[in-house]
Amino acid sequence: MIRKIIHIDEKACNGCGACAAACHEGAIGMVNGKAKLLREDHCDGLGDCLPACPTGAITFVEREAAAYDEAAVLAAKAGANRQGEPLPCGCPGSQSRTLTPAAGEDRACAAGGAAVPSRLRQWPVQIKLAPVNAPYFDGADLLIAADCTAYAYGNFHADFMAGKITLVGCPKLDSVDYSEKLTELFRRSAVKSVTVARMEVPCCGGIERAVRTALENSGKDIPCRVVTLTTDGRILN
């Protein structure tokens, strides 16, 4: 079938392995010091590996390729876990996991003598790292936040993250369009609602546009609310 799939320019590849670590499906591996697409049927075409590449050696192409086989990817991950081996993504810090409310209360940090609990309910939180088929998205109220919002708004955990699954990103810094990945996430999961937290600066509109585009392309009628924050921490709407 003709579909979108990654292409790796071997001459531009510096062998850092960042793309292999970013690929949750285990489609990319390192061979003789260069990144290689090892399994076409493990490449979902969503491009988590693109922003990880420091040399721009990875691009998308439209060509004849084996269809993405999600069942084979899940089976490979399950086999690696049973054997006690690292996940295909190659990065333990990117492994998907749910954080329970009880654990959240224990993850408190001292601030002026007061313990402030984290409201984070899952890991990872970066849009480009989060697996679109993670079970915690089903039935979730989803918060998609621009990176800067949590720094501008002091009570971000309690007022925005509590009770929600949180994803963060910055399309300007990541140099990637999140809409394709978010479209796939919305299609695969029964997300109940979406809250977008963005800054007032114009470049932050990219994350709002990506969410709105993804919602439209997914074909689902998911309630969406956009909250805009000022750089000094006020809520505009």
Side-chain angles (χ1 to χ4, degrees), residues 4 45-48 50-52 60 125-130 132 142 144-148 167-186 196-197 203-215 217:
K4 182 159 64 175
L46 295 177
D48 286 349
L50 268 71
F60 276 128
V125 297
Q126 288 288 336
I127 297 172
K128 64 181 182 180
L129 296 180
V132 295
L142 182 61
I144 301 178
D147 285 342
C148 298
L167 293 177
V168 302
C170 177
K172 184 174 183 178
L173 294 180
D174 286 341
S175 299
V176 65
D177 181 1
Y178 297 129
S179 61
E180 288 193 48
K181 184 166 189 176
L182 292 175
T183 298
E184 191 67 16
L185 189 160
F186 294 145
V196 179
C203 61
C204 210
I207 201 160
E208 179 181 347
R209 286 193 297 274
V211 172
R212 293 194 184 279
T213 299
L215 288 170
N217 292 343

Side-chain angles (χ1 to χ4, degrees), residues 192-226:
K192 289 196 304 182
S193 69
V194 179
T195 299
V196 179
R198 56 160 293 184
M199 300 300 297
E200 62 179 335
V201 294
C203 61
C204 210
I207 201 160
E208 179 181 347
R209 286 193 297 274
V211 172
R212 293 194 184 279
T213 299
L215 288 170
E216 181 179 351
N217 292 343
S218 72
K220 291 188 175 181
D221 185 15
I222 302 174
C224 179
R225 172 185 175 229
V226 178

Side-chain angles (χ1 to χ4, degrees), residues 17-58:
C19 58
C23 179
H24 297 282
E25 290 74 26
I28 302 174
M30 303 304 296
V31 178
N32 297 325
K34 296 286 186 178
K36 297 283 187 182
L37 178 59
L38 301 179
R39 293 285 301 265
E40 287 187 352
D41 60 334
H42 282 207
C43 177
D44 60 9
L46 295 177
D48 286 349
C49 53
L50 268 71
C53 180
T55 65
I58 303 177

